[in-house]
C-alpha cells in the first residue's frame, strides 16, 4: 500500500465492505486496479489537482440522486399529459429540464417514441454515451463490446436476449449516439393503464424500456415484481 | 482512428453480459475512477473529445479485454502523462517527485452540483449556413483518419437521408487534438439497414449523428 500525506480513504465514504478483497487473490485485476487507482488518487490530491470531498460528492450524486427513476417520471408524464408529450417531441431538452433533470450527458436530448409499428433502441457503438440525467450511469452490458457491436447489425437477436420479441412487421430504429445528442426511448403505454396516476405509471417504466432493450411492464408484471401495489 | 472502440457490426463478441440486479459499481475502485475522471475533467486540462480519444488509444487487445472503468482509468493516466500533470513514475508510485503544474480549476465539493447541472453543452453559434436540409440525400464519406473521429466505419460509403438538423456543434475530430471547437453543422442521418448491411432488413433503419465534414451530397 502507498503511504502519503493524503489518505484517499479519508473522505468519509464507506470502503468497509471491500476489505475482504486483496487478501485472498493476489495479482488479480482487482488488487492491481485497487492499488493503481489509490496511488493515482493520492498523487493527484498531493499535487492539489483534486479535492477528495468533491470526489465523494460526485459518487454520491450518481449513486443516490440520479438514476432511471428520473427517466421513468418523464415517460409517465408524457403518457399522462399530451401537452408534455408534444413538448418532448418538439424540444426534449427543454421538456426534461422543466422537470429539473439537467446537466452532464443530457445537454442535448431527443425523445424517440415507440409506436405499434416502430421500436426504438439506443446504442453508442464508439464508446458509452448514455443520457445520465434521466437514466444515471450505464449498466455494464451497455458498454460491452457485445452490445455495441451487435445492436446495429442484429438488433433482433439482442432483443431476444432481453426476452423481447416484437410483433411481426415492426420496424426497428437503432440510434447510434455518435455525437453529444442523447436519446431517450418513450416506450408504448401498456394496455389497461387508463386510470392510473402518473406515480403508478412510472412504476411500469423500466430502465431497459427507455434504452429500447425492454418494454414497459404491464400492471400485472409490475405487481409480480413488487413494483406496484 | 480505426481503433478498438469502433465496434459497430463486429462479430464474435458473444452474448450480452447481463446481470440480474447489477450493482452500479462492481468494486470500490470503479467508483473512484468515475469520480477521478469527472474531477480531472473539470480541471479544464482537456475536453471530452480528448478523453474519448485517450481511451480509444488503449491497445486493441487490452481495450477489448478490459472493463469499461479500466478503460477510463487507462485513458485518464494517458491524459495526465501527456499533459505533463504528472510523470509515469509518479503515477506508478503514487508519490509526488515533481512540483505540480497549474490547472485552470480544482473542483470543490461545494461546486459539484452546479458543475454537473451545467454540464458541457456542445452547441455553438455560427455564421455559416447548413449545407444540407432535411430530406437531402447524402453519402457518409469514405475516410480513415488516424486521429479521433466519430464517423463509425460501418456507415462509411453508405447513403442516407438528413432527418434532423441538430445545430452547429463542437467538431470532435478537431477538438480532440487541441485544434479548438471548430464548430460544424451536425445532422441526424437515417440509413436503411438493408443498404448498410447488404441484405434485406425489413424496414429497419440506423440513425446516426454526423457532422457536415463527414457527409457529401449525392
Amino acid at each position: 500500500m502507498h503511504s502519503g500525506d493524503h489518505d484517499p480513504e479519508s473522505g468519509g465514504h464507506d470502503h468497509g465492505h471491500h476489505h475482504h478483497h486483496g487478501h485472498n487473490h493476489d495479482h488479480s485485476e482487482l488488487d492491481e486496479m485497487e492499488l493503481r487507482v489509490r496511488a493515482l488518487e493520492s498523487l493527484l490530491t498531493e499535487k492539489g489537482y483534486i479535492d477528495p470531498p468533491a470526489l465523494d460528492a460526485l459518487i454520491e450524486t450518481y449513486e443516490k440522486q440520479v438514476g432511471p427513476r428520473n427517466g421513468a417520471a418523464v415517460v409517465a408524464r408524457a403518457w399522462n399529459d399530451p401537452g408534455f408529450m408534444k413538448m418532448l417531441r418538439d424540444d426534449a431538452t427543454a421538456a426534461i429540464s422543466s422537470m429539473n433533470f439537467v446537466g452532464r450527458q443530457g445537454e442535448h436530448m431527443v425523445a424517440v417514441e415507440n409506436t405499434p409499428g416502430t421500436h426504438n433502441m439506443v446504442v453508442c457503438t464508439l464508446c458509452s454515451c448514455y443520457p445520465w440525467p434521466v437514466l444515471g450511469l450505464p449498466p455494464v452490458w451497455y458498454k460491452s463490446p457485445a452490445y455495441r457491436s451487435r445492436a446495429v447489425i442484429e438488433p433482433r437477436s439482442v432483443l431476444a436476449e432481453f426476452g423481447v420479441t416484437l410483433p411481426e412487421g415492426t420496424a426497428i430504429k437503432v440510434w447510434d449516439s455518435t455525437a453529444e445528442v442523447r436519446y431517450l426511448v418513450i416506450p408504448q403505454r401498456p394496455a389497461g393503464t387508463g386510470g392510473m396516476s402518473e406515480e403508478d405509471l412510472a412504476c411500469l417504466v423500466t430502465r431497459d424500456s427507455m434504452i429500447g432493450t425492454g418494454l414497459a411492464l404491464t400492471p400485472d408484471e409490475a405487481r409480480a415484481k413488487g413494483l406496484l401495489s | 482512428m480505426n481503433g478498438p472502440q469502433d465496434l459497430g457490426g463486429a462479430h464474435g463478441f458473444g452474448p450480452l453480459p447481463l446481470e440480474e440486479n447489477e450493482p452500479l459499481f462492481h468494486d470500490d475502485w470503479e467508483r473512484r475512477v468515475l469520480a477521478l475522471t469527472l474531477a480531472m475533467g473539470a480541471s479544464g486540462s482537456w475536453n471530452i473529445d480528448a478523453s474519448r480519444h485517450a481511451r480509444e488509444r488503449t491497445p486493441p487487445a487490452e481495450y477489448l479485454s478490459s472493463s469499461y472503468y479500466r478503460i477510463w482509468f487507462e485513458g485518464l493516466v494517458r491524459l495526465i502523462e501527456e499533459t505533463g500533470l504528472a510523470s509515469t513514475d509518479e503515477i506508478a508510485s503514487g508519490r509526488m517527485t515533481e512540483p505540480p503544474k497549474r490547472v485552470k480549476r480544482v473542483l470543490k465539493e461545494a461546486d459539484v452540483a452546479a458543475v454537473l447541472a451545467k454540464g458541457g453543452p456542445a452547441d455553438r453559434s455560427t455564421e455559416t449556413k447548413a449545407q444540407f436540409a432535411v430530406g437531402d440525400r447524402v453519402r457518409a464519406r469514405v475516410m480513415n483518419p488516424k486521429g479521433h473521429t466519430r464517423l463509425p466505419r460501418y456507415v462509411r460509403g453508405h447513403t442516407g437521408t438528413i432527418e434532423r438538423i441538430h445545430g452547429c456543434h463542437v467538431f470532435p475530430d478537431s477538438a480532440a487534438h487541441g485544434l479548438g471547437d471548430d464548430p460544424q453543422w451536425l445532422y441526424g442521418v437515417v440509413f436503411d439497414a438493408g443498404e448498410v448491411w447488404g441484405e434485406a432488413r425489413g424496414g429497419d433503419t440506423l440513425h446516426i449523428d454526423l457532422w457536415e465534414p463527414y457527409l457529401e451530397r449525392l
Side-chain angles (χ1 to χ4, degrees):
Chain A
M1 294 285 162
H2 70 92
S3 59
D5 293 335
H6 303 272
D7 180 348
E9 294 197 11
S10 66
H13 52 275
D14 175 22
H15 280 62
H17 59 294
H18 288 297
H19 280 171
H20 65 281
H21 294 300
H23 303 298
N24 307 326
H25 42 100
D26 291 341
H27 308 301
S28 68
E29 187 196 33
L30 174 63
D31 294 333
E32 184 206 337
M33 289 308 294
E34 211 163 273
L35 292 175
R36 290 179 70 200
V37 173
R38 277 187 202 188
L40 185 66
E41 182 169 340
S42 172
L43 173 68
L44 298 179
T45 305
E46 192 181 0
K47 292 244 187 196
Y49 300 151
I50 56 168
D51 177 39
L55 266 60
D56 297 327
L58 287 164
I59 293 165
E60 159 96 16
T61 303
Y62 291 104
E63 258 185 336
K64 306 266 166 68
Q65 295 167 31
V66 182
R69 299 334 299 156
N70 292 359
V74 172
V75 171
R77 182 161 299 177
W79 283 347
N80 223 23
D81 176 350
F84 184 75
M85 185 65 235
K86 183 182 182 308
M87 198 174 156
L88 205 51
R89 285 189 193 116
D90 294 346
D91 184 347
T93 313
I96 292 167
S97 74
S98 78
M99 296 179 72
N100 286 320
F101 305 137
V102 296
R104 195 189 160 84
Q105 291 300 305
E107 295 93 343
H108 310 284
M109 291 295 305
V110 170
V112 290
E113 222 178 317
N114 289 349
T115 66
T118 314
H119 182 85
N120 293 279
M121 192 169 141
V122 182
V123 63
C124 172
T125 61
L126 298 175
C127 53
S128 61
C129 296
Y130 193 73
W132 290 14
V134 282
L135 296 187
L137 300 173
V140 163
W141 62 260
Y142 184 85
K143 303 180 278 188
S144 69
Y147 184 71
R148 289 162 56 194
S149 60
R150 293 172 53 199
V152 286
I153 193 170
E154 47 179 59
R156 281 182 174 74
S157 90
V158 168
L159 287 175
E161 268 171 57
F162 283 94
V164 174
T165 313
L166 299 172
E168 190 94 8
T170 307
I172 301 182
K173 294 182 169 189
V174 179
W175 300 83
D176 190 352
S177 323
T178 47
E180 299 303 334
V181 180
R182 298 289 167 267
Y183 293 89
L184 179 71
V185 175
I186 309 297
Q188 286 189 79
R189 180 172 179 159
T193 57
M196 283 174 71
S197 69
E198 219 168 281
E199 202 178 14
D200 282 351
L201 284 171
C203 298
L204 311 178
V205 185
T206 62
R207 177 196 65 198
D208 292 356
S209 74
M210 294 180 280
I211 304 172
T213 55
L215 306 176
L217 302 173
T218 64
D220 283 346
E221 286 168 337
R223 272 184 218 106
K225 287 175 186 283
L227 299 170
L228 188 68
S229 51
Chain B
M1 62 184 285
N2 295 341
Q5 85 290 355
D6 190 357
L7 285 163
H11 287 132
F13 286 105
L16 307 173
L18 301 179
E19 184 183 345
E20 236 2 94
N21 300 316
E22 181 183 325
L24 206 49
F25 299 101
H26 286 80
D27 256 292
D28 192 54
W29 67 263
E30 296 190 339
R31 277 186 188 82
R32 306 313 289 174
V33 168
L34 170 81
L36 286 168
T37 300
L38 296 180
M40 287 307 291
S43 79
S45 308
W46 48 76
N47 57 39
I48 194 164
D49 301 298
S51 292
R52 292 199 182 108
H53 190 45
R55 290 173 202 146
E56 70 201 19
R57 282 182 288 141
T58 303
E62 191 184 331
Y63 184 100
L64 294 173
S65 56
S66 294
S67 68
Y68 211 79
Y69 282 114
R70 181 166 189 158
I71 295 171
W72 272 34
F73 179 77
E74 303 298 349
L76 178 60
V77 165
R78 198 166 283 123
L79 288 167
I80 290 168
E81 289 173 353
E82 288 173 357
T83 51
L85 291 179
S87 70
T88 308
D89 287 347
E90 288 178 313
I91 291 166
S93 70
R95 297 208 183 119
M96 181 165 85
T97 54
E98 296 163 27
K101 281 182 101 176
R102 210 171 177 60
V103 291
K104 285 183 193 147
R105 173 170 64 182
V106 177
L107 179 65
K108 295 291 180 189
E109 183 183 10
D111 300 327
V112 165
V115 166
L116 291 179
K118 186 164 170 254
D123 54 328
R124 298 289 182 268
S125 59
T126 181
E127 305 281 293
T128 66
K129 277 183 64 181
Q131 279 200 32
F132 303 116
V134 171
D136 283 359
R137 296 281 293 156
V138 291
R139 188 193 325 271
R141 289 181 188 276
V142 175
M143 50 188 251
N144 291 279
K146 287 182 176 159
H148 186 60
T149 189
R150 298 289 287 181
L151 175 61
R153 263 179 288 185
Y154 72 86
V155 76
R156 294 177 194 167
H158 291 285
T159 57
T161 305
I162 304 282
E163 61 174 349
R164 189 188 284 261
I165 304 180
H166 290 298
C168 200
H169 280 222
V170 173
F171 188 44
D173 303 43
S174 298
H177 298 285
L179 301 173
D181 287 350
D182 187 19
Q184 302 286 342
W185 286 94
L186 176 68
Y187 304 90
V189 188
V190 54
F191 296 84
D192 174 61
E195 196 271 333
V196 169
W197 302 118
E199 56 184 43
R201 290 303 174 93
D204 289 0
T205 45
L206 295 157
H207 303 255
I208 312 175
D209 290 330
L210 300 172
W211 283 262
E212 205 164 84
Y214 298 167
L215 300 170
E216 56 194 348
R217 189 180 296 278
L218 267 194

